[in-house]
Amino acid sequence: MAKQRLWSPTFLYLCFSAFTLFSIFNLFIPTLPLFAMDVLHASEQQVGIIVGVFIAASVIARLFAGLLLDRFGEKNMLLVSFLVVVITAILHIWSFSFGWLLFLRFLQGLGFGVATTAAGALAIMIAPKTRQGEAVGYYSMFMSLAMVIGPVVGLQVVQHISYTALFLTTVFLSVIGLLLALFIVYKPVRKAPEPLSVDRFIAIKAVPVSLCSSLASFAYGGILSFITLYAVSLGMESAASAFFLVYALVLLGSRMITGRIFDRFGENVVVYPTLVLFAIGLFTLSQAGSLSIFLIAAVLMGAGFGSVLPSFQTLAVQSVPPKQAVQATSTFYIFYDLGIGLGSYVLGLIVTGSTYSFMYIISASIVILAIVAYRVLHHRKLNNLGVKCMADAELEAS
């Protein structure tokens, strides 16, 4: 049987459109706290509120995203939510008060939550059934590129030009993303109206694997929030930038391989090894006393967390009937965001009363818990169904 085509123009438009969206998010990670403190004279607690409001808004949006996408279509809601991102990006130029910035971050969080849910669902629905794991892997690569490029570009713009230039950059990216999304060709499957129920907001069958992903993202919250401070505490100020660069390069390389392995041999062959690598990477990081150990940890985590995340997203969608693909994507991102947010907060409390090294040991323990949860919540389900992977269960059901 001939291999079905994955790299269609529509898939490329979607991937590059999503890249602009995640670039905006990552541009703001290191720069918006600086803006709030330098220009608005915000306190550290207020900076935390700015981050929290954005995450809270994105979670709220994803709760209702499934309902909206079912009602108005995936592409239409992607365009509308992108328009919200464009408008809020423009309004950031006139951020002269903390309250106004907070309001804009809430609105942008709503747009970001719906847009990423729509784009993530489209990435799977556009792809051939036999190449969904590969499709999510490639789609996630664009997210990862944005994660690396965004902070670097944002800091360079702020340091060498101005905050206004930073906001204009996000306007440019959001407009480009909106234009690319216009070229996406996708004909939604018409769905009969359904009564309101929990399944219209949360895909119950996708919760177990999404819970596993939240445990992994909980541990990753300690990387996003504290890796720079950890590097400084070790007297290696430039190590954080090197860490993310190495992490991203390994992540990109591994995702080109693991997506195909996922589709050919099943999820267990990918999930167990990558979670183990992530846990080992976190423990290695906790023992870092030199740049070489620091970067070895980056390699392990790039191959670990970077590869397991798209596997969980694919499994979330494969765990539900095709008509619930949007709700499954939304459920996955809700748990992923909650994991990041709770991880940043709880691990921050731990490091306040101990050390960064101890905090990363705790993070590694959480990943081990994720392995146990995966075994209990998903692998055992496959054994009960008598299949080696969720895709086989789908084929039997159809």
Side-chain angles (χ1 to χ4, degrees):
M1 187 174 67
K3 195 174 185 180
Q4 293 176 289
R5 185 185 182 193
L6 171 62
W7 290 104
S8 64
T10 284
F11 187 68
L12 285 170
Y13 289 137
L14 175 65
C15 287
F16 281 106
S17 179
F19 171 78
T20 66
L21 187 66
F22 284 101
S23 292
I24 294 169
F25 171 68
N26 286 285
L27 274 166
F28 278 150
I29 285 177
T31 57
L32 208 56
L34 293 175
F35 171 77
M37 297 183 77
D38 292 345
V39 178
L40 304 181
H41 307 293
S43 65
E44 292 181 352
Q45 183 179 4
Q46 287 177 316
V47 169
I49 293 173
I50 291 172
V51 175
V53 161
F54 182 89
I55 292 176
S58 66
V59 169
I60 292 170
R62 283 171 178 151
L63 280 171
F64 295 93
L67 202 63
L68 293 172
L69 270 59
D70 278 350
R71 176 66 177 84
F72 300 105
E74 290 80 7
K75 179 182 175 181
N76 289 337
M77 287 311 303
L78 178 62
L79 295 176
V80 170
S81 53
F82 240 120
L83 187 59
V84 172
V85 173
V86 171
I87 293 171
T88 53
I90 294 171
L91 293 176
H92 270 81
I93 299 171
W94 294 279
S95 296
F96 299 130
S97 71
F98 174 75
W100 178 244
L101 180 62
L102 210 62
F103 174 68
L104 292 180
R105 295 307 289 157
F106 183 81
L107 288 183
Q108 196 163 70
L110 293 176
F112 181 81
V114 175
T116 50
T117 302
L122 283 170
I124 291 179
M125 290 186 285
I126 288 171
K129 199 75 171 177
T130 57
R131 302 185 70 182
Q132 287 182 336
E134 188 179 354
V136 174
Y138 285 125
Y139 172 80
S140 300
M141 280 171 48
F142 285 83
M143 295 168 52
S144 303
L145 280 172
M147 182 187 73
V148 176
I149 295 172
V152 174
V153 171
L155 286 171
Q156 290 298 312
V157 170
V158 167
Q159 291 169 2
H160 298 289
I161 310 178
S162 66
Y163 287 113
T164 299
L166 172 72
F167 295 140
L168 289 174
T169 302
T170 64
V171 172
F172 172 77
L173 286 170
S174 59
V175 170
I176 293 298
L178 177 60
L179 292 176
L180 288 169
L182 286 170
F183 289 99
I184 293 172
V185 177
Y186 175 72
K187 186 176 181 180
V189 178
R190 288 193 169 274
K191 303 169 185 175
E194 298 179 14
L196 285 179
S197 64
V198 174
D199 280 347
R200 300 297 300 280
F201 301 93
I202 295 288
I204 301 299
K205 291 184 178 179
V207 168
V209 73
S210 297
L211 179 60
C212 297
S213 76
S214 72
L215 291 171
S217 65
F218 182 100
Y220 188 64
I223 302 297
L224 285 181
S225 301
F226 304 112
I227 192 67
T228 302
L229 297 176
Y230 183 42
V232 171
S233 73
L234 295 174
M236 300 185 295
E237 288 78 3
S238 61
S241 297
F243 176 93
F244 279 114
L245 178 60
V246 171
Y247 172 88
L249 291 175
V250 174
L251 179 150
L252 292 173
S254 64
R255 283 188 177 176
M256 296 177 70
I257 300 170
T258 53
R260 295 179 183 180
I261 295 174
F262 181 102
D263 288 330
R264 185 173 180 181
F265 299 105
E267 54 264 31
N268 292 343
V269 179
V270 174
V271 171
Y272 283 122
T274 50
L275 283 176
V276 169
L277 283 175
F278 186 31
I280 295 174
L282 285 165
F283 181 78
T284 302
L285 186 63
S286 74
Q287 305 301 307
S290 65
L291 180 60
S292 59
I293 300 299
F294 210 76
L295 297 184
I296 288 172
V299 171
L300 292 168
M301 282 186 277
F305 182 75
S307 297
V308 77
L309 208 63
S311 298
F312 281 141
Q313 182 181 350
T314 305
L315 286 177
V317 174
Q318 291 181 346
S319 298
V320 302
K323 67 178 182 179
Q324 271 205 301
V326 171
Q327 286 86 349
T329 303
S330 175
T331 301
F332 168 81
Y333 278 118
I334 287 171
F335 276 82
Y336 173 77
D337 281 349
L338 287 174
I340 291 285
L342 287 173
S344 298
Y345 177 73
V346 174
L347 294 174
L349 292 178
I350 291 173
V351 79
T352 300
S354 58
T355 64
Y356 290 109
S357 178
F358 180 72
M359 183 267 287
Y360 284 122
I361 290 175
I362 295 297
S363 299
S365 302
I366 296 296
V367 178
I368 293 173
L369 181 61
I371 295 173
V372 175
Y374 176 81
R375 170 69 185 179
V376 172
L377 298 175
H378 184 77
H379 193 167
R380 185 175 294 175
K381 178 181 178 181
L382 296 180
N383 292 339
N384 292 337
L385 293 173
V387 295
K388 72 172 185 178
C389 62
M390 187 54 66
D392 289 344
E394 280 189 292
L395 290 174
E396 288 187 8
S398 60

